């Protein structure tokens, strides 16, 4: 049998996005000289999820979301770092 199309489900099947996200997240903290703690990721995920809900409702633009998620995280963990630079590095 000859196939015309072959589809792959990359999300979580061939690529481990969660592991990649965690590695990038930790590296960004390291690059900014912030002592990384594992709970930072769960705080970030919670903030990020809420902002994406706002995006789906048309309450926030994606470019603002990309920065605000780190701004809120950095405030919550008590680090005064430029959230635009942090977002770009991530």
């Amino acid at each position: 049998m000859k196939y015309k199309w072959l589809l792959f489900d990359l999300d979580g099947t061939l690529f481990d996005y969660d592991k990649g996200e965690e590695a990038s997240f930790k590296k960004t903290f390291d690059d900014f000289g912030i002592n990384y703690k594992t709970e930072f990721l769960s705080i970030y995920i919670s903030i990020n999820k809420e902002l994406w809900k706002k995006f789906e409702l048309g309450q926030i633009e994606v470019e603002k979301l990309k920065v605000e998620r780190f701004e809120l995280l950095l405030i919550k963990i008590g680090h005064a770092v430029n959230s635009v630079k942090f977002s770009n590095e991530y």
Side-chain angles (χ1 to χ4, degrees):
M1 174 186 253
K2 189 174 182 179
Y3 293 99
K4 185 174 181 177
W5 298 98
L6 181 61
L7 301 174
F8 290 96
D9 177 13
L10 301 178
D11 286 351
T13 305
L14 296 177
F15 298 125
D16 190 341
Y17 285 111
D18 293 337
K19 193 170 188 172
E21 177 181 47
E22 185 175 4
S24 295
F25 194 72
K26 184 180 183 315
K27 182 179 181 328
T28 305
F29 276 89
D30 291 345
D31 291 348
F32 277 81
I34 300 172
N35 186 28
Y36 178 76
K37 296 179 182 174
T38 55
E39 61 265 20
F40 291 173
L41 183 60
S42 61
I43 295 168
Y44 165 79
I45 289 170
S46 176
I47 291 168
N48 194 43
K49 187 182 228 180
E50 288 304 312
L51 289 173
W52 279 106
K53 285 180 187 175
K54 285 184 174 185
F55 173 76
E56 290 171 2
L57 295 171
Q59 298 172 345
I60 190 171
E61 297 294 323
V62 73
E63 291 306 316
K64 181 170 173 54
L65 178 154
K66 289 179 181 181
V67 174
E68 191 167 325
R69 60 189 177 178
F70 291 111
E71 184 176 332
L72 294 171
L73 171 67
L74 292 163
I75 288 169
K76 187 155 184 105
I77 64 173
H79 286 280
V81 175
N82 183 311
S83 55
V84 173
K85 290 181 180 179
F86 198 92
S87 178
N88 289 338
E89 181 70 25
Y90 175 73

